[in-house]
Amino acid sequence: MQKITRDQLITKAVELLSNGTVSAVLGWQKGEFDYDITPAVFTTEEEIKNNFVYNDFCGANFSKYLVAKTKKLEGKILVFLKPCDTYSFNQLLTEHRFDREKVYAVAIGCEGMADVVKLKNKVDGIISIDYKDDAMYVDTLYDGTVKVDYADVLAERCINCKSKKCVAYDELMGEDGEVIDSARFDEVARLEAMTPDERFAFWQNELSRCIRCNACRDACPACTCEKCVFDNPNSGVENKAPANSFEEQMFHIIRAYHVAGRCTDCGECSRVCPQNIPLHLLNRKFIKDINECYGEYQAGAEVGSRAPLVDYTEGDLEPGEVFERGDNNA
Amino acid sequence: MQRIGVFVCWCGSNIAGTVDVKAVAEALKAEPGVVYSTDYQYMCSQAGQNLIIDAVKEHNLTGLVICSCSPRMHEATFRKTAAAAGLNPYMVEIANIREQCSWVHKEMPVGTEKAIILGKAAVAKVNLNTPLTPGESPVTKRALVIGGGIAGIQTALDIADAGFPVDIVETKPTIGGKMAQLDKTFPTLDCAACILTPKMVDVAQHEKIRIFSYSEVTDVKGFVGNFDVTIKKKARFVDETKCTGCGDCVDKCPMKKNPNEFNMGMDNRSAIYIPFAQAVPKVATIDAGACTMLKKGKCGLCSKVCGAGAIDYTQKDEFIEEKYGAIVVATGFNPISMDKFDEYAYNQSKDVITSLEFERLTNAAGPTQGKLLRPSDGKHPHKIVFVQCVGSRCAACAEKGKEYCSKICCMYTAKHAMLTRDKYPDTEVYVFYIDVRTPGKNFDEFYRRAVEEYGVNYIKGMVGKIVPEGDVLKVQASDLISNKQLHIDADLVVLAAAIEPDKSARPLATMLTASMDTNDFFTEAHPKLRPVESPTAGVFLSGACQGPKDIPETVSQAGAAASKVIGLLCKDKLTGNPCIASANEMMCNGCSSCERVCPYGAITYSDKEFRMPDRTTQIRRVASVNPAVCQGCGACTVACPSGAMDLRGFANNQIMAEVDAICK
Ligand SMILES: Cc1cc2nc3c(=O)[nH]c(=O)nc-3n(C[C@H](O)[C@H](O)[C@H](O)COP(=O)(O)OP(=O)(O)OC[C@H]3O[C@@H](n4cnc5c(N)ncnc54)[C@H](O)[C@@H]3O)c2cc1C
Ligand code: SF4
Ligand code: SF4
Ligand code: SF4
Ligand code: SF4
């Protein structure tokens, strides 16, 4: 359960809106179901009071929305950022994707968000959810009220949270945390230990489920190109729906390369994937390799940092060493 | 649709020996766009080129594929041919079927198959080629020479004599380099000072030459014809414009116990010093680490005695920015450190010295006024052992020495041995060698004289160990010819230390984006055909920074580099390379990825207005490439996530077409 409450956020939003600091608020509202939360832009106090929600399913990373919203709006927009979102926020600033002057950022401490899929695997027929201190109480169609521990539905990205530190904000609500020495690369290490055939089979199995809905790309704060290569007939790699398994793998490999060194490991891609493909493993492989080859680097930790893949230093690995390293893993 | 002609070259038997050229020409006829295909013995010859020109006219060709040697070899040639035939020169593609095919394969079928594939890729590319026109950029008519040894001096004089201004940047307080430290020089034994110092004076007096001594290059931007260079003039605490070089300060300075670098630390100098009598500029320099005035604010004697009022304890490093059209690297060499060669007891005994120290010991301006005396006790040595190849040709000991031959040691050791026997006939001289290498005009004659006329004992074999015992050096060595172990009690041992490039060369190369080999010698654009040019346009190489060299070779290379520079500075405008990058603004995110990777700083940003589909306008940050600065390296095109950045002549779609053609 989150320590910061819906009421606190509403008070903050209303305050900033009414004193003219911001002209719009980026927040959450209920979707079709109780667990199905969607991002929304609020411009009046009334809307906020009626529709603004905040609970353990408010996992969406808002930073990417700023790219489009700041271009359209007069005045500033208020954005609420979880610690992991603040990294994406910085990364977007590094890439000059929005105007910092047009944003009022409130960072909010985070206790870890819940994973809808995990919940749905536990209980059927969810009607509504009551968030109590000790657990969620889920009102269901078939089994009455079911008690679900928060820990049992905690999202993978939150179990392996890399940092509870907020690296960018105008204002902080709740407590700032620390960078965490998480176990997020353990699963990558397990894949690395496989034989190439095993690894191929693993990814074949995962990626063959992809339906090319493009949700991963659309949610990714690193994917903000004015014209994505997959939508561009001149790019040579344009494809909207894969014709065969090779193309569908190419999509993921190209995407992983495009975000390499820029992905902050926010976990949005895996969260939004309707097919539950563990896309974070591709990105974490890149992050792990970068850390090992060029020294620890966290995209978005600060604005303007020079990512190792687009920077040259005299101590850089020689291409031959990278090649040999690949071989050893094979 | 393109009308493409394919021309397959035999290169004598170079290609035709491993590639069935007729089969290649035949196979490529079937490729899309190809309307003519043929083969010929030497495509680059006049007859071959005429064949191409005729074919263009006869078949109305719009694009050419030449299957031949590396584009580095003849791309320029065939572009000229295309131009002569009335085509845009950039409608030519080379399929390298020599270096990348016939020379690396042995079997005809394999070579032929690969040649066909490479040809198909080139055809696929030409199908997408568009005519390109190069831009022009002006040339700054001034040259920079980095390093003021004999190489830098000669290059600067030659360029200046042709009428162009030249600046020399030298890290030391004086120009002259290693040659200024030498005594007599092989093969003619004229004294180094007698032939070098007049040149140094010429430099000092030349109205077109400026010397920045005690200075370093700290930043280089720009490109051929238009380099922007920052030079740091280190504070020497003496106003160069006032100092007359009288040396009164040097005499009065109480801090006299500082190792004298010029004499290889074999005697001392004052905290304020002039390296040697003929120094250019003849200006004093204060060694900030040794001067008590600068360290503690106490003393100030030099300032009191200086009649010219030149001493300035508050002087700061000064940064000068200047534009140059061409840069010559002449950073020279140094002997390697002997620290790792414990077997030769260099650090245990003062009487084990390097050859450069020996030069100072025999030099009339050296620590012993030219008398050959042992550094330990000042006595005449009666038995001297010279050891050649110390750290050179040392494949097995790469961690302490060098794999290459230092080239000059055989000759200067013969010189040292001969001069010793000439001046002190009562001295026994031994030279231990692996081989004696004397290929040079009058070089072998010189060495034979040392053996035959001067009775130097040349022994083929290496010294295993030197142990100082009392006042002798026990030398243990093997004589490979008589297959005996030798024990010699020597009074003095001289080590011919390997030479290596100056340590500042590597960071300098990075600044210049000039390439180096694994030993940190600068690489030339072509080892045979372009030996004094670096692969980076506008950067030239002079002297031992490019490889071990003696003075005659250094001076010839220095002159050659100068003539290349003059050739460049004579031009008013340079035609650029049209294969440069440009950003498609409609797709650019303004993300700065390209700007971060561009090694030439060619990319800048501006905010531009764009009309949106909903009739609104949007302001976006977009990249643009300065065509005069872009070198067409292509780094930005791969960094760009959206594919907005593309390289003319090597466009993403052209490269994909090549890959597709290869993978088909
Ligand atoms: C013991 C010995 C004896 C020799 N005897 C002979 C002989 O008898 N005959 C013969 O032909 N050759 C002889 N040589 C070889 C001769 O010394 C060289 O051929 C010659 O000095 C090479 O000249 P150079 O200008 O290339 O290099 P250098 O003489 O090394 O000059 C390089 C200059 O560049 C300066 N420099 C270095 N880095 C920088 C930088 N980053 N910025 C600015 N300035 C820089 C250095 O301070 C130096 O002044 C001898 C060499 C040795 C070691
Ligand atoms: S690739 Fe996935 S984890 Fe990385 S920034 Fe994009 S959405 Fe977040
Ligand atoms: S979100 Fe999942 S299913 Fe959709 S394109 Fe990405 S990986 Fe494929
Ligand atoms: S090709 Fe791109 S990276 Fe290379 S010099 Fe030109 S602008 Fe810079
Ligand atoms: S990398 Fe591409 S998208 Fe980014 S600024 Fe450069 S051209 Fe624009």
Side-chain angles (χ1 to χ4, degrees):
Chain A
M1 163 136 148
Q2 303 305 316
K3 283 189 186 152
I4 306 284
T5 62
R6 167 177 181 265
D7 291 344
Q8 282 174 291
L9 295 185
I10 288 180
T11 313
K12 177 55 55 191
V14 169
E15 173 200 322
L16 291 168
L17 199 58
S18 51
N19 71 16
T21 310
V22 299
S23 57
V25 177
L26 195 46
W28 302 264
Q29 69 184 18
K30 197 167 97 47
E32 221 159 315
F33 302 101
D34 231 25
Y35 49 78
D36 172 23
I37 307 290
T38 55
V41 177
F42 303 90
T43 48
T44 66
E45 196 176 323
E46 207 188 340
E47 277 172 358
I48 293 176
K49 288 196 169 139
N50 292 338
N51 299 334
F52 193 103
V53 298
Y54 186 61
N55 59 40
D56 286 76
F57 291 100
C58 292
N61 178 349
F62 281 161
S63 49
K64 179 175 186 170
Y65 289 78
L66 298 172
V67 176
K69 296 291 174 233
T70 51
K71 288 210 176 88
K72 294 237 164 85
L73 272 171
E74 292 292 319
K76 286 192 185 207
I77 185 164
L78 166 63
V79 65
F80 292 110
L81 302 171
K82 303 189 299 304
C84 53
D85 305 340
T86 60
Y87 286 81
S88 310
F89 184 86
N90 273 349
Q91 184 60 27
L92 286 163
L93 282 177
T94 300
E95 297 176 7
H96 307 276
R97 298 302 286 134
F98 64 83
D99 182 356
R100 179 71 179 84
E101 293 303 306
K102 298 192 81 176
V103 179
Y104 190 85
V106 173
I108 47 181
C110 174
E111 306 310 311
M113 291 288 164
D115 179 345
V116 192
V117 181
K118 277 191 179 176
L119 180 66
K120 285 206 255 179
N121 284 343
K122 277 191 180 303
V123 285
D124 285 330
I126 303 167
I127 300 171
S128 67
I129 304 167
D130 195 6
Y131 304 89
K132 291 259 166 58
D133 281 352
D134 61 333
M136 287 181 198
Y137 289 83
V138 184
D139 204 10
T140 70
L141 267 177
Y142 318 111
D143 305 314
T145 302
V146 181
K147 176 181 169 188
V148 179
D149 280 342
Y150 288 111
D152 291 342
V153 291
L154 195 60
E156 188 282 339
R157 59 171 168 168
C158 304
I159 297 173
N160 289 316
C161 177
K162 63 177 184 294
S163 171
K164 297 251 188 253
K165 187 174 153 77
C166 299
V167 291
Y169 50 79
D170 294 303
E171 194 176 324
L172 175 71
M173 286 177 78
E175 265 170 46
D176 201 3
E178 294 292 324
V179 173
I180 300 167
D181 184 16
S182 77
R184 62 184 172 135
F185 297 122
D186 288 5
E187 189 63 10
V188 178
R190 198 178 66 77
L191 291 182
E192 285 173 346
M194 288 179 176
T195 64
D197 285 342
E198 287 168 348
R199 204 160 45 231
F200 186 80
F202 171 86
W203 282 114
Q204 179 90 316
N205 178 27
E206 294 291 348
L207 298 179
S208 61
R209 295 200 306 276
C210 175
I211 53 170
R212 269 315 291 283
C213 65
N214 284 329
C216 50
R217 178 199 68 180
D218 294 348
C220 174
C223 279
T224 66
C225 285
E226 295 295 325
K227 184 144 194 96
C228 176
V229 289
F230 297 113
D231 300 338
N232 177 0
N234 295 325
S235 70
V237 296
E238 181 214 26
N239 69 352
K240 300 234 157 87
N244 52 38
S245 69
F246 176 76
E247 276 185 17
E248 125 220 317
Q249 285 157 18
M250 277 315 281
F251 168 72
H252 289 286
I253 291 168
I254 292 172
R255 215 185 77 79
Y257 268 98
H258 278 203
V259 302
R262 305 163 56 233
C263 164
T264 63
D265 198 9
C266 71
E268 284 290 271
C269 47
S270 293
R271 179 182 74 88
V272 298
C273 177
Q275 297 294 80
N276 290 307
I277 299 172
L279 295 161
H280 58 277
L281 293 179
L282 280 177
N283 303 324
R284 284 186 192 162
K285 167 63 177 159
F286 276 96
I287 297 173
K288 183 168 179 279
D289 279 354
I290 290 172
N291 286 348
E292 287 167 8
C293 294
Y294 303 100
E296 296 278 318
Y297 174 77
Q298 172 60 53
E302 64 218 353
V303 179
S305 63
R306 294 188 79 95
L309 294 185
V310 289
D311 196 16
Y312 170 77
T313 62
E314 275 190 60
D316 274 359
L317 226 58
E318 296 293 333
E321 292 172 60
V322 180
F323 180 75
E324 273 164 33
R325 208 173 161 266
D327 250 3
N328 291 341
N329 282 341
Chain B
M1 189 71 186
Q2 218 72 268
R3 292 180 60 83
I4 299 170
V6 176
F7 302 86
V8 185
C9 180
W10 303 16
C11 195
S13 64
N14 270 308
I15 293 172
T18 349
V19 168
D20 180 347
V21 285
K22 297 238 179 287
V24 175
E26 195 53 39
L28 294 178
K29 266 190 192 142
E31 286 303 294
V34 176
V35 294
Y36 178 73
S37 182
T38 188
D39 60 277
Y40 186 70
Q41 240 171 351
Y42 290 105
M43 229 26 119
C44 61
S45 66
Q46 195 58 51
Q49 294 190 47
N50 287 340
L51 182 153
I52 296 172
I53 295 171
D54 293 344
V56 170
K57 299 203 170 123
E58 189 177 332
H59 300 276
N60 274 331
L61 302 180
T62 60
L64 308 178
V65 167
I66 320 279
C67 302
S68 62
C69 51
S70 158
R72 258 185 90 160
M73 201 65 210
H74 277 312
E75 189 175 58
T77 314
F78 293 118
R79 284 198 171 142
K80 281 194 196 125
T81 314
L87 288 183
N88 180 284
Y90 293 88
M91 298 306 292
V92 177
E93 287 300 326
I94 310 277
N96 180 355
I97 61 165
R98 195 178 77 172
E99 285 83 343
Q100 288 177 358
C101 187
S102 68
W103 280 0
V104 290
H105 293 293
K106 289 204 174 74
E107 313 284 323
M108 177 80 84
V110 183
T112 306
E113 187 192 353
K114 181 161 165 190
I116 293 172
I117 293 173
L118 292 171
K120 283 181 179 175
V123 171
K125 190 176 179 203
V126 174
N127 266 310
L128 299 171
N129 276 20
T130 46
L132 301 174
T133 328
E136 282 185 336
S137 58
V139 180
T140 305
K141 301 198 176 250
R142 182 186 297 111
L144 171 66
V145 174
I146 307 173
I150 179 62
I153 290 174
Q154 187 61 49
T155 303
L157 283 172
D158 288 350
I159 299 172
D161 283 344
F164 296 105
V166 187
D167 291 347
I168 301 181
V169 171
E170 166 59 56
T171 49
K172 302 269 170 62
T174 171
I175 59 169
K178 248 58 72 194
M179 189 173 167
Q181 289 172 286
L182 305 182
D183 182 32
K184 304 222 167 20
T185 53
F186 67 76
T188 44
L189 293 181
D190 23 18
C191 110
C194 315
I195 55 177
L196 177 66
T197 43
K199 279 197 187 288
M200 291 167 62
V201 174
D202 286 351
V203 168
Q205 291 176 347
H206 207 296
E207 54 168 6
K208 295 274 183 199
I209 302 182
R210 280 194 296 182
I211 304 171
F212 294 101
S213 63
Y214 210 48
S215 300
E216 276 157 21
V217 170
T218 55
D219 191 32
V220 180
K221 288 211 176 67
F223 53 98
V224 57
N226 296 278
F227 293 105
D228 290 301
V229 178
T230 310
I231 299 165
K232 175 167 122 185
K233 271 186 85 134
K234 294 177 277 184
R236 71 196 314 162
F237 307 103
V238 172
D239 185 336
E240 274 178 59
T241 57
K242 292 184 187 156
C243 175
T244 60
C246 67
D248 288 350
C249 52
V250 179
D251 297 339
K252 285 285 157 9
C253 174
M255 302 306 293
K256 290 221 163 14
K257 288 255 154 69
N258 309 293
N260 182 353
E261 302 85 352
F262 189 71
N263 282 337
M264 308 302 292
M266 289 186 296
D267 65 354
N268 289 328
R269 59 154 172 78
S270 324
I272 187 163
Y273 65 104
I274 297 173
F276 57 101
Q278 301 90 339
V280 168
K282 193 159 182 198
V283 171
T285 303
I286 299 183
D287 172 352
C291 164
T292 50
M293 185 66 192
L294 289 171
K295 284 196 295 188
K296 304 192 188 118
K298 289 202 188 99
C299 181
L301 266 180
C302 49
S303 166
K304 290 198 191 93
V305 297
C306 178
I311 311 283
D312 175 5
Y313 301 115
T314 63
Q315 204 175 64
K316 295 263 164 349
D317 291 348
E318 191 187 334
F319 290 87
I320 293 153
E321 283 173 24
E322 189 59 89
K323 282 190 174 303
Y324 298 98
I327 298 179
V328 183
V329 185
T331 48
F333 73 98
N334 288 304
I336 63 169
S337 150
M338 290 288 99
D339 287 352
K340 288 191 184 148
F341 293 86
D342 270 344
E343 62 270 36
Y344 298 132
Y346 178 79
N347 287 333
Q348 283 94 289
S349 170
K350 280 189 164 178
D351 297 332
V352 179
I353 61 174
T354 65
S355 303
L356 197 51
E357 289 163 12
F358 187 87
E359 292 279 349
R360 295 313 300 151
L361 274 190
T362 50
N363 190 302
T368 54
Q369 286 75 47
K371 287 193 219 65
L372 180 56
L373 303 174
R374 305 209 311 170
S376 64
D377 53 12
K379 289 189 190 146
H380 266 295
H382 291 287
K383 214 180 253 184
I384 306 184
V385 167
F386 288 90
V387 187
Q388 289 195 180
C389 287
V390 177
S392 294
R393 306 170 66 193
C394 201
C397 64
E399 74 292 341
K400 52 183 196 175
K402 303 287 172 189
E403 278 190 38
Y404 51 84
C405 164
S406 294
K407 196 172 181 183
I408 54 177
C409 324
C410 288
M411 281 301 286
Y412 69 57
T413 301
K415 168 183 82 173
H416 293 161
M418 187 192 293
L419 289 172
T420 308
R421 292 281 299 158
D422 184 44
K423 231 169 159 184
Y424 311 100
D426 60 336
T427 310
E428 259 178 75
V429 174
Y430 296 87
V431 176
F432 285 91
Y433 67 95
I434 309 179
D435 305 293
V436 176
R437 300 182 159 182
T438 51
K441 193 168 163 185
N442 294 328
F443 281 17
D444 204 56
E445 295 87 326
F446 183 87
Y447 152 66
R448 301 272 7 132
R449 249 169 49 219
V451 180
E452 287 156 15
E453 285 176 36
Y454 289 89
V456 176
N457 302 305
Y458 266 80
I459 301 169
K460 187 175 175 74
M462 274 309 278
V463 169
K465 201 165 175 59
I466 296 170
V467 185
E469 228 179 82
D471 60 358
V472 295
L473 296 158
K474 298 244 172 233
V475 179
Q476 260 178 51
S478 48
D479 178 340
L480 290 181
I481 290 176
S482 60
N483 204 10
K484 267 195 308 211
Q485 282 295 312
L486 296 182
H487 296 271
I488 300 172
D489 288 351
D491 298 321
L492 186 71
V493 171
V494 184
L495 306 176
I499 62 174
E500 64 181 359
D502 194 89
K503 295 272 185 247
S504 67
R506 170 124 332 236
L508 184 66
T510 308
M511 268 185 254
L512 293 166
T513 61
S515 50
M516 293 190 128
D517 62 20
T518 48
N519 297 311
D520 281 5
F521 285 113
F522 282 87
T523 26
E524 51 287 341
H526 188 286
K528 285 164 258 177
L529 301 181
R530 294 172 66 193
V532 302
E533 290 153 88
S534 135
T536 303
V539 176
F540 302 88
L541 308 174
S542 176
C545 64
Q546 181 249 355
K549 276 186 195 65
D550 55 30
I551 298 164
E553 267 188 289
T554 299
V555 172
S556 354
Q557 200 200 11
S563 76
K564 292 281 168 194
V565 171
I566 295 164
L568 170 64
L569 298 188
C570 277
K571 296 185 180 146
D572 291 325
K573 282 203 158 37
L574 292 177
T575 29
N577 166 14
C579 299
I580 52 172
S582 66
N584 179 338
E585 290 176 350
M586 296 310 287
M587 297 199 296
C588 173
N589 307 322
C591 69
S592 277
S593 300
C594 52
E595 180 241 23
R596 288 202 167 94
V597 295
C598 176
Y600 301 95
I603 298 167
T604 49
Y605 292 88
S606 56
D607 286 336
K608 284 206 174 160
E609 267 191 20
F610 291 88
R611 297 282 297 155
M612 302 312 285
D614 58 0
R615 299 205 196 100
T616 56
T617 36
Q618 220 176 57
I619 294 177
R620 279 201 285 117
R621 178 179 196 266
V622 290
S624 56
V625 176
N626 180 341
V629 183
C630 173
Q631 297 293 300
C633 71
C636 54
T637 65
V638 276
C640 177
S642 64
M645 195 58 97
D646 213 353
L647 192 60
R648 280 178 213 140
F650 296 90
N652 290 332
N653 67 347
Q654 289 179 299
I655 290 172
M656 289 306 273
E658 285 183 283
V659 174
D660 284 347
I662 290 171
C663 297
K664 237 187 340 214

